[in-house]
Amino acid sequence: MEEQKRAKSKVFKVLTSQPFILFVFIILVAVVTNSINSKFLTWGTINSILGQAAGLGLVSAGATVLVISGHFDISTGRMLGLAMCAMAIMLNGGMHPVLVSVLGILICVACSVFNGAVSIAFQAPSFVVTLATQNIYYSIALLLTNGYMQTLYGKYRTLASFRIFGVFPLIYLILILGFVSIHVILKHTRTGRHVYAIGTNERAAYISGVNIKLSKLKCFVISGILVGVASMLMLSRINAAQATTGYGMETEAIGAVVIGGSSINGGKGGVVGTFMGVILLSMMSTAINMLHINTFYDTWYMAL
């Protein structure tokens, strides 16, 4: 009897969880949209949705760690644009793609660590700090490109075009590995426990022996790495970059995190919900286009 109660409790908890509710909503959106436009559930459309979700998904996974710890980084969009512009310039200059990819990730890590270090050093809210630094990163990108678009003409297409065993796109595997890695870190490592502890009650975490400054910096490092990988995937898909690339992505990323059930006050959340949030946002954007709805309504769901 006791085991049955526990089983029912677990089932009820799953059915009422934010990720499951989002999953049901995703199914409803897909069915309704496909009933109006039968091309919605074709492989081409699904591939487009997942491809769009790849870059946003990795940025959102990193944002999940920050939000759970009680922080926000609203410079990730500008950071991504800077990395993409720098990578495009290096590729056009003849540098090896592998080296360029590593440098692109390092650029994002350096920017993210700078955000965290300034926030920690001056005990300033990360939201305020990154509100300022996003303009710095945007200005650097403008200086590097002189405001012009950097086109690669097919030089960096491997990540976007390669398929494992000729079937499964590599870009999807990278997206999945990104989310799995963050899930493992949050749920099965000391770093993850510290992230939740800091977000729940920073003073209590400090008294418990958690190195607050180091743990916060780790969160920004993790976010920077994922933004760097996202910049690689987006550059490979778009095959061009300019200073404005990635603008607004930080808002979508935080939106996906919050929609996925993470608390903006910190201490609660996970990447499963974030993943569902990313898929939902990408699907809604595609659905609006396929249903020929006025583009001015394209971000209505974000306002909700």
Side-chain angles (χ1 to χ4, degrees):
M1 183 65 71
E2 189 65 30
E3 290 182 358
Q4 289 181 348
K5 287 183 178 179
R6 289 179 180 176
K8 289 180 180 179
S9 178
K10 288 181 180 179
V11 171
F12 179 77
K13 187 176 181 180
V14 171
L15 294 179
T16 56
S17 65
Q18 188 77 354
F20 184 78
I21 293 172
L22 287 175
F23 176 73
V24 172
F25 196 70
I26 287 170
I27 298 299
L28 288 174
V29 171
V31 171
V32 172
T33 306
N34 193 68
S35 66
I36 300 173
N37 189 332
S38 59
K39 294 182 180 180
F40 186 74
L41 289 180
T42 61
W43 171 243
T45 303
I46 294 172
N47 187 47
S48 175
I49 292 171
L50 293 176
Q52 181 182 342
L56 174 61
L58 291 174
V59 175
S60 299
T64 303
V65 178
L66 288 173
V67 170
I68 292 174
S69 69
H71 290 277
F72 292 93
D73 188 341
I74 61 171
S75 69
T76 50
R78 296 301 196 186
M79 194 188 303
L80 182 140
L82 170 60
M84 288 179 64
C85 288
M87 291 168 67
I89 291 171
M90 288 186 283
L91 286 166
N92 285 329
M95 290 183 66
H96 195 280
V98 174
L99 177 59
V100 170
S101 300
V102 172
L103 291 175
I105 294 174
L106 289 178
I107 288 171
C108 291
V109 171
C111 292
S112 191
V113 169
F114 178 73
N115 291 342
V118 172
S119 177
I120 293 168
F122 293 97
Q123 297 183 350
S126 55
F127 178 87
V128 176
V129 171
T130 55
L131 184 64
T133 57
Q134 68 168 341
N135 293 318
I136 296 174
Y137 305 145
Y138 178 54
S139 297
I140 295 173
L142 285 174
L143 287 171
L144 288 175
T145 62
N146 289 320
Y148 293 105
M149 178 178 288
Q150 305 298 307
T151 307
L152 294 179
Y153 303 104
K155 294 178 183 176
Y156 195 67
R157 295 288 300 175
T158 303
L159 284 175
S161 61
F162 185 79
R163 295 175 180 269
I164 301 171
F165 303 117
V167 179
F168 192 75
L170 176 61
I171 193 171
Y172 300 164
L173 177 62
I174 295 173
L175 174 63
I176 293 169
L177 288 176
F179 272 93
V180 170
S181 298
I182 297 303
H183 179 75
V184 171
I185 290 172
L186 288 175
K187 301 297 183 180
H188 303 287
T189 67
R190 180 182 297 179
T191 298
R193 291 192 292 272
H194 290 174
V195 170
Y196 281 102
I198 293 171
T200 302
N201 190 319
E202 185 174 318
R203 179 156 182 79
Y206 175 77
I207 294 173
S208 300
V210 177
N211 188 328
I212 303 297
K213 293 181 179 180
L214 180 61
S215 296
K216 286 183 178 180
L217 209 56
K218 285 181 181 179
C219 295
F220 281 95
V221 170
I222 292 171
S223 176
I225 292 172
L226 289 172
V227 173
V229 176
S231 69
M232 291 165 47
L233 299 185
M234 288 188 62
L235 183 61
S236 184
R237 284 187 70 241
I238 301 172
N239 223 231
Q242 57 184 353
T244 56
T245 305
Y247 177 69
M249 182 174 283
E250 65 284 342
T251 307
E252 290 186 75
I254 294 174
V257 174
V258 175
I259 290 172
S262 296
S263 172
I264 58 175
N265 296 318
K268 177 185 175 183
V271 291
V272 177
T274 298
F275 180 78
M276 293 298 176
V278 168
I279 297 299
L280 178 61
L281 292 182
S282 299
M283 181 178 287
M284 291 293 289
S285 178
T286 302
I288 287 172
N289 289 330
M290 294 192 70
L291 295 178
H292 305 292
I293 296 174
N294 193 314
T295 54
F296 289 116
Y297 297 107
D298 191 34
T299 57
W300 69 269
Y301 52 85
M302 289 297 293
L304 297 176

